[in-house]
Amino acid sequence: MKDHEGIDAAGSCPSGEFSGESGRRDYRMLPVAVVVWACCVVPKDYRQYEVFIAMVLAAVSFAVSAWAFRFRKLWRVRGQVRARGRARVWEQQYSKPVEARSGRWITGVRTCLRGCVRCFPGLIVVAVAMLCVLSSIYLHEAVELHDAAQTVQGHMVSEAQLKVTSPATVSIRRGSDCQYRAVLLSVTAEKMKQPSHREVLAFAKGKGCSITPSEVIAASGTLKAATFGTLPLWFEMTEESQPTRIRSPSLVRRMVATMLTSFFAVCQGLSEQGRILVPGVTMGVLGSDTVMTGLEASSGQASSDDTNAGKAIEENFKNSGIVHLLAVSGGHFVLVAEFLRKFAARLRLPRFLGALMVVMGYAVLAVLMYPSDSVLRALVMGVVGVACTTFGRASQSMSVLSVCVVCSLIVRPGLATSFGFALSCAAVMGILLFSAKITKRVPRVVPRAVASAFAVTLSAQIFTLPVQMLMTPTVPLLSIPANLCVAPFVSFSTICGLLGLLCSAVVPSVAWILVNVASVGTSVMNRCAMLFGDSSASTFSLPVSGTVAAVTILSAEMIVYGIVAFIGRKRRVSDGEIWSGMSTDSGTLNV
């Protein structure tokens, strides 16, 4: 019987060599995702060198992978304990004459070359993925270049037809009451109507904020280039023009709008922090940023007191390093998936029906949440994982994440420059790579739940911190204790908030009880954010910003990782592990 390392119970490998492969550590798609992402972020000025840069990255990624795999295979032979494998290699190599030992470097070079040959199919996969993403990039750029919105940019538009894609939120600019994402369907300028497909951020006032996602409206305004934000175009509606509904939203969207309106109305009876944080923990948008949607709303403005309080609370959450709790990501989808899987198992449904139920739950959750790139990442990754399980293949998280990144960037190359998408992917990758290792190295006197929460928090910040430096060069120093304090209250607050959202339109009294229970958890989060974030010692500002700050943090993390690995190796040698498995008479390992 073999374990997951490919070694049988006797400690030997039947094929004569150590395979080093594990189904739970399948990283073959990771270099593909890295190369695809690199192709999407290459600036246009260096686009002529994009193929060369991508091929170099692919070659380097697979060469490093092959070298690391073969190096481990050469030095870790037929043993389950790494120190024992090094002891045997030491005995085999240094007990021979110098002439015999000189050949081990040639053997190492040969093994590395064989590893590169084995990685050749992976290079083919990288080439195909790179061809697909480059074709997608050039097609998107060609469509945007010849779009009608590009020609009328900076001019007055007599009529623009827009399809609303997100709920209305409080405007980030002065002079407007609300903002929402929309897709231009057509623009009319100088009595000429032209089709368009550009995504814009629309700004409106008064009754112009009474919109529902998926409805089509017509309005006049100015189309201009965005001065900040992720969307490249802004559409400012004129004060005299009020949006005219051309096509009503679908029945599902009307039901969702009614549900959200009822949920926000129920949350209005909570305390100040509850009105702000319960919607944030539940659906990813602060209560101070929401605008009452649907035709029932009589005003598109939120109270100034809640807006100011929301800004203060959000700043405390950022300084304490727990602002990720206010964004919808994989945690919501994991809770829904676990509940539906257990429900399907209790009913003894076939695997296909159980998977279909989980996918439908994902779709409903995505519709209810505020649309964001992190929600898109969680949805795609969840669907890919369910598909693997449906077809009888164990879901491997790193492969699922890599496939999610590749597919998402091929369809929408602009996601490569989205901080929300990058932070979500970086957090998941850090958890998958380091969480289990950190948990094993936490002293046993620490409770298992605390050790797991500490490992998840620390591993998630390994890759997200450099990305955060691209946005603001501020390091939250107390993020780990803050996350440990709020960890016990996150799940039940999220569950109560989701249940309250589902019950708000049907049974408001039950929803009132549920959001009050959720408010208890958010009050603890708010107090922790004030404790760890409302002080000058909670953050450290770097003297540099942008790419330099990100590279600085990444270099510091690599140095710390090298020091920790070196100390761990020295400790194992000093403890005598290197000699513990060696038999003095035969030179074999006692497994």
Side-chain angles (χ1 to χ4, degrees):
M1 182 180 65
K2 298 181 182 179
D3 60 1
H4 68 279
E5 292 283 347
I7 303 174
D8 59 17
S12 61
C13 184
S15 60
E17 59 182 16
F18 174 72
S19 64
E21 297 181 356
S22 172
R24 293 181 291 179
R25 297 194 309 270
D26 189 356
Y27 302 155
R28 290 173 294 180
M29 286 295 295
L30 183 59
V32 182
V34 171
V35 172
V36 168
W37 203 311
C39 291
C40 294
V41 298
V42 171
K44 292 183 179 180
D45 298 337
Y46 301 94
R47 192 58 57 79
Q48 60 269 27
Y49 307 109
E50 189 169 20
V51 177
F52 174 74
I53 294 174
M55 291 302 296
V56 170
L57 284 173
V60 170
S61 301
F62 276 96
V64 171
S65 302
W67 177 82
F69 171 73
R70 288 294 172 174
F71 182 82
R72 185 176 62 177
K73 172 187 170 182
L74 179 67
W75 291 87
R76 187 183 176 189
V77 288
R78 292 196 290 183
Q80 297 181 0
V81 182
R82 188 172 298 177
R84 298 179 180 180
R86 287 197 301 270
R88 182 175 181 181
V89 170
W90 187 92
E91 185 198 32
Q92 291 177 351
Q93 298 295 335
Y94 291 94
S95 61
K96 299 179 181 179
V98 178
E99 295 79 4
R101 295 202 307 265
S102 62
R104 72 187 182 95
W105 301 108
I106 300 177
T107 304
V109 172
R110 289 176 179 175
T111 52
C112 289
L113 291 177
R114 286 198 298 268
C116 293
V117 171
R118 288 187 60 183
C119 290
F120 182 75
L123 293 176
I124 299 298
V125 176
V126 169
V128 173
M130 184 178 62
L131 178 63
C132 294
V133 74
L134 289 179
S135 302
S136 178
I137 291 172
Y138 288 123
L139 287 175
H140 278 79
E141 291 182 352
V143 171
E144 292 178 0
L145 183 63
H146 297 87
D147 196 277
Q150 196 72 20
T151 60
V152 301
Q153 183 176 333
H155 297 82
M156 183 68 182
V157 178
S158 59
E159 183 184 78
Q161 293 186 7
L162 306 95
K163 182 178 181 180
V164 182
T165 57
S166 72
T169 57
V170 176
S171 175
I172 58 176
R173 297 175 64 248
R174 294 181 179 179
S176 301
D177 295 337
C178 67
Q179 65 182 28
Y180 45 84
R181 290 172 176 256
V183 176
L184 283 173
L185 301 180
S186 66
V187 291
T188 303
E190 298 179 356
K191 298 181 180 180
M192 183 179 296
K193 185 176 182 180
Q194 302 177 16
S196 177
H197 303 282
R198 293 296 300 275
E199 189 176 7
V200 298
L201 185 63
F203 296 92
K205 287 185 175 181
K207 294 183 179 180
C209 299
S210 300
I211 54 93
T212 303
S214 80
E215 72 175 339
V216 179
I217 59 176
S220 61
T222 304
L223 196 64
K224 60 171 62 175
T227 56
F228 56 88
T230 56
L231 294 180
L233 291 178
W234 287 351
F235 182 73
E236 297 180 355
M237 299 182 187
T238 58
E239 297 183 5
E240 299 80 10
S241 172
Q242 293 296 335
T244 303
R245 176 179 292 178
I246 297 178
R247 190 175 65 200
S248 300
S250 61
L251 177 61
V252 175
R253 283 295 183 179
R254 291 198 299 268
M255 293 174 59
V256 171
T258 303
M259 190 180 300
L260 294 180
T261 302
S262 303
F263 178 70
F264 292 139
V266 170
C267 291
Q268 290 302 311
L270 300 176
S271 60
E272 184 181 66
Q273 63 84 23
R275 291 195 305 268
I276 296 172
L277 292 179
V278 171
V281 173
T282 303
M283 53 180 297
V285 58
L286 294 178
S288 58
D289 294 336
T290 56
V291 175
M292 300 295 286
T293 58
L295 297 177
E296 300 84 355
S298 59
S299 174
Q301 296 183 355
S303 65
S304 58
D305 294 338
D306 281 355
T307 302
N308 296 330
K311 292 180 180 179
I313 290 176
E314 187 176 7
E315 187 67 21
N316 290 335
F317 270 67
K318 287 181 180 179
N319 294 337
S320 58
I322 57 175
V323 71
H324 59 89
L325 301 178
L326 305 179
V328 177
S329 188
H332 291 65
F333 288 83
V334 168
L335 292 174
V336 172
E338 286 297 323
F339 172 76
L340 293 178
R341 286 195 183 101
K342 291 182 179 179
F343 182 73
R346 179 62 61 90
L347 296 180
R348 297 184 179 181
L349 295 178
R351 184 169 56 188
F352 176 77
L353 293 180
L356 182 61
M357 184 183 298
V358 173
V359 171
M360 293 177 61
Y362 283 161
V364 172
L365 183 62
V367 171
L368 292 176
M369 299 298 103
Y370 185 81
S372 64
D373 296 332
S374 60
V375 174
L376 177 63
R377 194 278 311 163
L379 175 63
V380 175
M381 189 172 175
V383 172
V384 173
V386 172
C388 294
T389 306
T390 304
F391 292 103
R393 182 176 177 85
S395 179
Q396 301 167 0
S397 300
M398 184 59 70
S399 296
V400 171
L401 175 63
S402 302
V403 172
C404 167
V405 170
V406 172
C407 296
S408 301
L409 294 182
I410 289 177
V411 176
R412 291 180 55 186
L415 289 174
T417 56
S418 170
F419 286 116
F421 188 77
L423 287 171
S424 182
C425 294
V428 174
M429 187 173 68
I431 293 172
L432 295 178
L433 290 178
F434 299 106
S435 178
K437 297 179 181 179
I438 296 175
T439 304
K440 291 180 181 179
R441 284 162 176 77
V442 175
R444 295 185 178 181
V445 294
V446 179
R448 190 68 177 179
V450 177
S452 179
F454 171 78
V456 169
T457 302
L458 184 59
S459 58
Q461 293 187 359
I462 292 176
F463 292 116
T464 57
L465 199 56
V467 180
Q468 292 178 6
M469 294 301 102
L470 297 175
M471 299 184 292
T472 173
T474 303
V475 181
L477 301 178
L478 304 177
S479 60
I480 293 179
N483 278 275
L484 291 177
C485 290
V486 302
F489 305 94
V490 175
S491 296
F492 91 85
S493 297
T494 303
I495 293 173
C496 292
L498 290 175
L499 293 177
L501 175 60
L502 295 176
C503 299
S504 57
V506 182
V507 192
S509 58
V510 176
W512 165 253
I513 298 175
L514 292 171
V515 297
N516 272 275
V517 176
S519 179
V520 175
T522 57
S523 64
V524 177
M525 301 179 197
N526 186 35
R527 291 182 179 276
C528 291
M530 295 175 60
L531 176 63
F532 294 103
D534 193 11
S535 64
S536 57
S538 60
T539 59
F540 173 75
S541 298
L542 295 178
V544 293
S545 60
T547 307
V548 180
V551 173
T552 302
I553 293 296
L554 188 60
S555 302
E557 290 178 348
M558 294 176 64
I559 293 174
V560 171
Y561 180 79
I563 293 174
V564 172
F566 179 78
I567 293 176
R569 181 174 297 180
K570 286 294 184 181
R571 181 176 299 177
R572 288 194 298 269
V573 173
S574 63
D575 290 342
E577 289 185 8
I578 195 169
W579 303 104
S580 61
M582 181 177 295
S583 174
T584 56
D585 55 345
S586 61
T588 58
L589 296 178
N590 300 325
V591 181

